[in-house]
Amino acid sequence: MRERLLASATQLFGEQGIAATTMAQIAEAAGVTSAMVHYYFTNREKLLDAVVEERIARSIAFVWESVEGEVAQDAHALVEEIVARLFEVTSRMPWLPPLWLREIVNEGGLLRERMLRRLPVEQLQRFVARIGEAQRSGSVNAELEAPLLFMSILALVMLPLATSKIWQNARGFPIIERDALHRHVSALLRAALRPVPPQRRVRRASGRKEDAS
């Protein structure tokens, strides 16, 4: 019953936002009385704590397991694995992208402060260090900003999924298909990670000098 209530809550939170969702609506979606919601979670704050701890934080941990395993030794494989895990998590939890955009990214989001206390700082630092090592060895594009790479990955995956319903209802825009988006994101990142040939770096540097003069 507790799992069913959490599932109903996260679905409604993703669809209409936390502020617009009442405990009574959650109970109705789960097929129980409002008293049952209060029995398991006491109040809204306890429910939000459970959503973060038992749903969002666990999905984040799953994604970041990538930097702990053998795949982390290869920067290109590491990025591919993180992308794959993001798509897997959002496939199992389709409410996550809109909830992420509405309640964590947006100013005033009701989960923002809870999530800021749970940022995976150590895993992110290891990811940045691994990308930096690959850049120094010449296997990854040295022009990338390693600390910004994960934010770029997150945006490439989460933003299209979070806004997919908007594009589906917009005339002339194609429907966002998950498999096509996965291929697209992977292709963009492979191209971005590919080392820039030395001669191209020289030409770019020369061009910048000429512009400056």
Short mmCIF file of all heavy atoms in Angstrom, two decimals, residues 161-207:
data_model
loop_
_atom_site.label_atom_id
_atom_site.label_comp_id
_atom_site.label_asym_id
_atom_site.label_seq_id
_atom_site.Cartn_x
_atom_site.Cartn_y
_atom_site.Cartn_z
N LEU A 161 12.68 15.06 -22.57
CA LEU A 161 11.67 14.17 -21.99
C LEU A 161 10.68 14.95 -21.13
O LEU A 161 9.48 14.66 -21.14
CB LEU A 161 12.36 13.10 -21.13
CG LEU A 161 13.20 12.08 -21.89
CD1 LEU A 161 13.92 11.15 -20.91
CD2 LEU A 161 12.36 11.26 -22.86
N ALA A 162 11.17 15.96 -20.42
CA ALA A 162 10.29 16.76 -19.57
C ALA A 162 9.30 17.59 -20.36
O ALA A 162 8.19 17.88 -19.90
CB ALA A 162 11.13 17.66 -18.66
N THR A 163 9.70 17.99 -21.57
CA THR A 163 8.86 18.88 -22.38
C THR A 163 8.23 18.16 -23.57
O THR A 163 7.69 18.81 -24.46
CB THR A 163 9.69 20.07 -22.89
OG1 THR A 163 10.81 19.57 -23.65
CG2 THR A 163 10.23 20.90 -21.73
N SER A 164 8.29 16.84 -23.59
CA SER A 164 7.84 16.08 -24.77
C SER A 164 6.36 16.32 -25.08
O SER A 164 5.97 16.38 -26.25
CB SER A 164 8.09 14.58 -24.57
OG SER A 164 7.38 14.11 -23.44
N LYS A 165 5.53 16.48 -24.05
CA LYS A 165 4.11 16.70 -24.30
C LYS A 165 3.84 18.04 -24.98
O LYS A 165 2.91 18.18 -25.78
CB LYS A 165 3.32 16.61 -23.00
CG LYS A 165 3.21 15.20 -22.45
CD LYS A 165 2.31 15.13 -21.24
CE LYS A 165 2.18 13.70 -20.74
NZ LYS A 165 1.30 13.61 -19.53
N ILE A 166 4.69 19.02 -24.68
CA ILE A 166 4.55 20.33 -25.34
C ILE A 166 4.77 20.19 -26.83
O ILE A 166 3.99 20.69 -27.66
CB ILE A 166 5.54 21.34 -24.74
CG1 ILE A 166 5.23 21.60 -23.27
CG2 ILE A 166 5.51 22.66 -25.53
CD1 ILE A 166 6.24 22.49 -22.58
N TRP A 167 5.84 19.48 -27.20
CA TRP A 167 6.17 19.34 -28.62
C TRP A 167 5.17 18.46 -29.35
O TRP A 167 4.88 18.68 -30.53
CB TRP A 167 7.59 18.77 -28.77
CG TRP A 167 8.62 19.54 -28.01
CD1 TRP A 167 9.49 19.05 -27.08
CD2 TRP A 167 8.86 20.95 -28.06
NE1 TRP A 167 10.25 20.06 -26.56
CE2 TRP A 167 9.90 21.23 -27.14
CE3 TRP A 167 8.30 22.00 -28.77
CZ2 TRP A 167 10.38 22.52 -26.94
CZ3 TRP A 167 8.78 23.29 -28.57
CH2 TRP A 167 9.81 23.54 -27.66
N GLN A 168 4.62 17.50 -28.65
CA GLN A 168 3.61 16.63 -29.27
C GLN A 168 2.36 17.41 -29.65
O GLN A 168 1.68 17.08 -30.62
CB GLN A 168 3.24 15.48 -28.33
CG GLN A 168 4.35 14.44 -28.20
CD GLN A 168 4.04 13.40 -27.14
OE1 GLN A 168 2.93 13.36 -26.61
NE2 GLN A 168 5.00 12.56 -26.81
N ASN A 169 2.07 18.46 -28.87
CA ASN A 169 0.88 19.26 -29.14
C ASN A 169 1.16 20.48 -30.00
O ASN A 169 0.24 21.24 -30.31
CB ASN A 169 0.26 19.72 -27.81
CG ASN A 169 -0.23 18.55 -26.98
OD1 ASN A 169 -0.73 17.56 -27.52
ND2 ASN A 169 -0.11 18.65 -25.66
N ALA A 170 2.44 20.68 -30.35
CA ALA A 170 2.80 21.83 -31.18
C ALA A 170 2.80 21.42 -32.65
O ALA A 170 3.45 20.45 -33.04
CB ALA A 170 4.19 22.35 -30.78
N ARG A 171 2.08 22.15 -33.43
CA ARG A 171 1.94 21.82 -34.84
C ARG A 171 3.28 21.90 -35.56
O ARG A 171 4.02 22.88 -35.44
CB ARG A 171 0.95 22.79 -35.48
CG ARG A 171 0.59 22.46 -36.91
CD ARG A 171 -0.48 23.39 -37.41
NE ARG A 171 -0.81 23.13 -38.80
CZ ARG A 171 -1.70 23.82 -39.49
NH1 ARG A 171 -2.35 24.82 -38.90
NH2 ARG A 171 -1.95 23.52 -40.74
N GLY A 172 3.59 20.86 -36.31
CA GLY A 172 4.80 20.85 -37.11
C GLY A 172 6.02 20.27 -36.43
O GLY A 172 7.04 20.05 -37.07
N PHE A 173 5.93 20.03 -35.11
CA PHE A 173 7.06 19.47 -34.39
C PHE A 173 6.93 17.94 -34.34
O PHE A 173 5.84 17.42 -34.15
CB PHE A 173 7.14 20.01 -32.96
CG PHE A 173 7.76 21.36 -32.87
CD1 PHE A 173 6.99 22.50 -33.05
CD2 PHE A 173 9.11 21.50 -32.61
CE1 PHE A 173 7.57 23.76 -32.97
CE2 PHE A 173 9.69 22.75 -32.53
CZ PHE A 173 8.91 23.90 -32.71
N PRO A 174 8.06 17.25 -34.51
CA PRO A 174 7.99 15.79 -34.49
C PRO A 174 7.78 15.26 -33.07
O PRO A 174 8.15 15.91 -32.09
CB PRO A 174 9.37 15.36 -35.01
CG PRO A 174 10.27 16.50 -34.63
CD PRO A 174 9.43 17.74 -34.75
N ILE A 175 7.17 14.08 -32.98
CA ILE A 175 7.01 13.42 -31.68
C ILE A 175 8.38 12.93 -31.21
O ILE A 175 9.15 12.38 -31.99
CB ILE A 175 6.03 12.24 -31.80
CG1 ILE A 175 4.62 12.77 -32.13
CG2 ILE A 175 6.00 11.42 -30.52
CD1 ILE A 175 3.62 11.67 -32.39
N ILE A 176 8.67 13.17 -29.94
CA ILE A 176 9.96 12.74 -29.38
C ILE A 176 9.85 11.28 -28.98
O ILE A 176 9.13 10.93 -28.04
CB ILE A 176 10.35 13.60 -28.17
CG1 ILE A 176 10.55 15.06 -28.60
CG2 ILE A 176 11.63 13.07 -27.51
CD1 ILE A 176 10.85 16.00 -27.46
N GLU A 177 10.55 10.41 -29.70
CA GLU A 177 10.58 8.99 -29.38
C GLU A 177 11.82 8.70 -28.55
O GLU A 177 12.92 9.16 -28.88
CB GLU A 177 10.58 8.16 -30.65
CG GLU A 177 9.30 8.32 -31.48
CD GLU A 177 9.32 7.48 -32.74
OE1 GLU A 177 10.41 6.93 -33.05
OE2 GLU A 177 8.28 7.38 -33.40
N ARG A 178 11.64 7.93 -27.51
CA ARG A 178 12.73 7.68 -26.56
C ARG A 178 13.96 7.07 -27.23
O ARG A 178 15.09 7.52 -27.00
CB ARG A 178 12.22 6.75 -25.45
CG ARG A 178 13.27 6.34 -24.43
CD ARG A 178 12.64 5.51 -23.34
NE ARG A 178 11.72 6.33 -22.57
CZ ARG A 178 12.11 7.10 -21.54
NH1 ARG A 178 13.39 7.12 -21.17
NH2 ARG A 178 11.24 7.82 -20.88
N ASP A 179 13.80 6.04 -28.06
CA ASP A 179 14.94 5.39 -28.69
C ASP A 179 15.67 6.36 -29.64
O ASP A 179 16.91 6.37 -29.69
CB ASP A 179 14.49 4.15 -29.47
CG ASP A 179 14.06 3.03 -28.55
OD1 ASP A 179 14.40 3.08 -27.35
OD2 ASP A 179 13.38 2.10 -29.02
N ALA A 180 14.90 7.15 -30.37
CA ALA A 180 15.51 8.13 -31.28
C ALA A 180 16.29 9.17 -30.49
O ALA A 180 17.39 9.59 -30.89
CB ALA A 180 14.44 8.78 -32.15
N LEU A 181 15.72 9.62 -29.37
CA LEU A 181 16.41 10.60 -28.53
C LEU A 181 17.69 10.01 -27.96
O LEU A 181 18.73 10.69 -27.92
CB LEU A 181 15.49 11.05 -27.40
CG LEU A 181 16.09 12.08 -26.43
CD1 LEU A 181 16.47 13.36 -27.15
CD2 LEU A 181 15.10 12.36 -25.29
N HIS A 182 17.65 8.75 -27.54
CA HIS A 182 18.85 8.09 -27.01
C HIS A 182 19.95 8.06 -28.07
O HIS A 182 21.11 8.40 -27.79
CB HIS A 182 18.49 6.68 -26.55
CG HIS A 182 19.55 6.02 -25.74
ND1 HIS A 182 19.34 4.89 -24.99
CD2 HIS A 182 20.88 6.33 -25.56
CE1 HIS A 182 20.46 4.54 -24.39
NE2 HIS A 182 21.41 5.39 -24.72
N ARG A 183 19.59 7.67 -29.29
CA ARG A 183 20.60 7.63 -30.37
C ARG A 183 21.14 9.03 -30.65
O ARG A 183 22.35 9.21 -30.86
CB ARG A 183 19.98 7.05 -31.64
CG ARG A 183 19.67 5.56 -31.57
CD ARG A 183 19.35 4.99 -32.95
NE ARG A 183 18.21 5.66 -33.57
CZ ARG A 183 16.95 5.28 -33.41
NH1 ARG A 183 16.66 4.24 -32.63
NH2 ARG A 183 15.97 5.92 -34.02
N HIS A 184 20.25 10.00 -30.65
CA HIS A 184 20.64 11.39 -30.93
C HIS A 184 21.62 11.91 -29.88
O HIS A 184 22.67 12.48 -30.21
CB HIS A 184 19.38 12.26 -30.97
CG HIS A 184 19.65 13.71 -31.13
ND1 HIS A 184 20.09 14.27 -32.31
CD2 HIS A 184 19.54 14.74 -30.25
CE1 HIS A 184 20.23 15.57 -32.16
NE2 HIS A 184 19.91 15.88 -30.91
N VAL A 185 21.27 11.72 -28.60
CA VAL A 185 22.14 12.20 -27.51
C VAL A 185 23.49 11.50 -27.56
O VAL A 185 24.54 12.14 -27.41
CB VAL A 185 21.45 11.97 -26.15
CG1 VAL A 185 22.42 12.25 -25.00
CG2 VAL A 185 20.22 12.86 -26.03
N SER A 186 23.49 10.20 -27.79
CA SER A 186 24.75 9.45 -27.85
C SER A 186 25.62 9.95 -28.99
O SER A 186 26.85 10.10 -28.84
CB SER A 186 24.47 7.95 -28.01
OG SER A 186 23.83 7.44 -26.86
N ALA A 187 25.00 10.21 -30.15
CA ALA A 187 25.76 10.69 -31.31
C ALA A 187 26.36 12.07 -31.04
O ALA A 187 27.52 12.34 -31.37
CB ALA A 187 24.86 10.74 -32.54
N LEU A 188 25.58 12.95 -30.43
CA LEU A 188 26.09 14.29 -30.10
C LEU A 188 27.29 14.21 -29.16
O LEU A 188 28.30 14.89 -29.35
CB LEU A 188 24.99 15.12 -29.44
CG LEU A 188 23.91 15.73 -30.34
CD1 LEU A 188 22.86 16.42 -29.48
CD2 LEU A 188 24.51 16.72 -31.32
N LEU A 189 27.17 13.36 -28.15
CA LEU A 189 28.24 13.27 -27.16
C LEU A 189 29.49 12.60 -27.73
O LEU A 189 30.61 12.99 -27.40
CB LEU A 189 27.74 12.54 -25.92
CG LEU A 189 26.72 13.33 -25.09
CD1 LEU A 189 26.06 12.45 -24.05
CD2 LEU A 189 27.40 14.53 -24.42
N ARG A 190 29.29 11.58 -28.57
CA ARG A 190 30.47 10.96 -29.20
C ARG A 190 31.23 11.97 -30.03
O ARG A 190 32.46 12.02 -30.00
CB ARG A 190 30.04 9.77 -30.06
CG ARG A 190 29.75 8.50 -29.28
CD ARG A 190 29.70 7.28 -30.21
NE ARG A 190 28.63 7.39 -31.19
CZ ARG A 190 27.39 6.95 -31.01
NH1 ARG A 190 27.06 6.40 -29.86
NH2 ARG A 190 26.48 7.07 -31.96
N ALA A 191 30.49 12.78 -30.78
CA ALA A 191 31.15 13.81 -31.61
C ALA A 191 31.84 14.86 -30.74
O ALA A 191 32.94 15.31 -31.05
CB ALA A 191 30.12 14.46 -32.52
N ALA A 192 31.19 15.24 -29.65
CA ALA A 192 31.76 16.26 -28.77
C ALA A 192 33.01 15.76 -28.05
O ALA A 192 33.97 16.53 -27.83
CB ALA A 192 30.72 16.71 -27.75
N LEU A 193 33.03 14.48 -27.68
CA LEU A 193 34.17 13.92 -26.94
C LEU A 193 35.37 13.63 -27.83
O LEU A 193 36.50 13.53 -27.34
CB LEU A 193 33.74 12.63 -26.24
CG LEU A 193 32.76 12.77 -25.07
CD1 LEU A 193 32.24 11.40 -24.65
CD2 LEU A 193 33.40 13.47 -23.89
N ARG A 194 35.12 13.48 -29.13
CA ARG A 194 36.20 13.12 -30.04
C ARG A 194 37.30 14.18 -30.01
O ARG A 194 37.03 15.37 -30.12
CB ARG A 194 35.65 12.98 -31.46
CG ARG A 194 36.60 12.31 -32.45
CD ARG A 194 35.90 12.09 -33.77
NE ARG A 194 34.72 11.25 -33.63
CZ ARG A 194 33.49 11.59 -34.05
NH1 ARG A 194 33.29 12.76 -34.62
NH2 ARG A 194 32.48 10.75 -33.88
N PRO A 195 38.57 13.77 -29.85
CA PRO A 195 39.66 14.75 -29.78
C PRO A 195 39.75 15.58 -31.05
O PRO A 195 39.52 15.09 -32.15
CB PRO A 195 40.91 13.87 -29.61
CG PRO A 195 40.40 12.58 -29.08
CD PRO A 195 39.05 12.38 -29.67
N VAL A 196 40.04 16.85 -30.88
CA VAL A 196 40.22 17.75 -32.01
C VAL A 196 41.63 17.57 -32.56
O VAL A 196 42.60 17.63 -31.80
CB VAL A 196 40.00 19.22 -31.57
CG1 VAL A 196 40.26 20.17 -32.73
CG2 VAL A 196 38.60 19.41 -31.01
N PRO A 197 41.78 17.31 -33.88
CA PRO A 197 43.12 17.16 -34.46
C PRO A 197 43.98 18.39 -34.20
O PRO A 197 43.46 19.51 -34.20
CB PRO A 197 42.85 16.99 -35.95
CG PRO A 197 41.44 16.48 -36.03
CD PRO A 197 40.72 17.13 -34.88
N PRO A 198 45.29 18.20 -33.96
CA PRO A 198 46.17 19.34 -33.64
C PRO A 198 46.10 20.46 -34.66
O PRO A 198 46.11 21.64 -34.30
CB PRO A 198 47.56 18.69 -33.61
CG PRO A 198 47.30 17.26 -33.28
CD PRO A 198 46.00 16.92 -33.93
N GLN A 199 46.02 20.12 -35.97
CA GLN A 199 46.00 21.16 -36.98
C GLN A 199 44.76 22.04 -36.88
O GLN A 199 44.81 23.25 -37.12
CB GLN A 199 46.11 20.58 -38.40
CG GLN A 199 45.00 19.61 -38.78
CD GLN A 199 45.36 18.18 -38.41
OE1 GLN A 199 46.14 17.97 -37.48
NE2 GLN A 199 44.81 17.21 -39.14
N ARG A 200 43.62 21.44 -36.47
CA ARG A 200 42.40 22.23 -36.31
C ARG A 200 42.51 23.14 -35.10
O ARG A 200 42.03 24.27 -35.11
CB ARG A 200 41.19 21.31 -36.16
CG ARG A 200 40.72 20.70 -37.47
CD ARG A 200 39.56 19.78 -37.27
NE ARG A 200 38.45 20.44 -36.60
CZ ARG A 200 37.40 19.79 -36.12
NH1 ARG A 200 37.33 18.46 -36.22
NH2 ARG A 200 36.41 20.44 -35.54
N ARG A 201 43.18 22.65 -34.04
CA ARG A 201 43.37 23.50 -32.86
C ARG A 201 44.24 24.70 -33.21
O ARG A 201 43.99 25.81 -32.76
CB ARG A 201 44.00 22.69 -31.73
CG ARG A 201 43.08 21.66 -31.11
CD ARG A 201 43.52 21.29 -29.72
NE ARG A 201 44.84 20.68 -29.71
CZ ARG A 201 45.05 19.37 -29.80
NH1 ARG A 201 44.03 18.54 -29.91
NH2 ARG A 201 46.27 18.88 -29.77
N VAL A 202 45.26 24.47 -34.03
CA VAL A 202 46.14 25.56 -34.44
C VAL A 202 45.37 26.60 -35.24
O VAL A 202 45.49 27.80 -35.04
CB VAL A 202 47.33 25.02 -35.25
CG1 VAL A 202 48.11 26.17 -35.88
CG2 VAL A 202 48.24 24.18 -34.38
N ARG A 203 44.51 26.13 -36.18
CA ARG A 203 43.74 27.05 -37.00
C ARG A 203 42.76 27.86 -36.15
O ARG A 203 42.59 29.05 -36.36
CB ARG A 203 42.97 26.27 -38.07
CG ARG A 203 43.84 25.78 -39.23
CD ARG A 203 42.99 25.46 -40.45
NE ARG A 203 42.05 24.39 -40.18
CZ ARG A 203 42.31 23.09 -40.39
NH1 ARG A 203 43.50 22.72 -40.85
NH2 ARG A 203 41.41 22.17 -40.15
N ARG A 204 42.14 27.20 -35.16
CA ARG A 204 41.21 27.91 -34.30
C ARG A 204 41.93 28.96 -33.48
O ARG A 204 41.45 30.09 -33.31
CB ARG A 204 40.50 26.93 -33.36
CG ARG A 204 39.48 26.05 -34.06
CD ARG A 204 38.81 25.14 -33.06
NE ARG A 204 37.93 24.18 -33.72
CZ ARG A 204 37.24 23.26 -33.10
NH1 ARG A 204 37.32 23.15 -31.79
NH2 ARG A 204 36.45 22.42 -33.77
N ALA A 205 43.09 28.60 -32.94
CA ALA A 205 43.87 29.54 -32.15
C ALA A 205 44.30 30.74 -33.00
O ALA A 205 44.24 31.88 -32.57
CB ALA A 205 45.09 28.85 -31.54
N SER A 206 44.71 30.47 -34.24
CA SER A 206 45.12 31.56 -35.14
C SER A 206 43.95 32.47 -35.44
O SER A 206 44.08 33.69 -35.48
CB SER A 206 45.68 30.97 -36.44
OG SER A 206 46.81 30.17 -36.18
N GLY A 207 42.78 31.86 -35.64
CA GLY A 207 41.59 32.65 -35.92
C GLY A 207 41.22 33.55 -34.78
O GLY A 207 40.84 34.71 -34.99
#
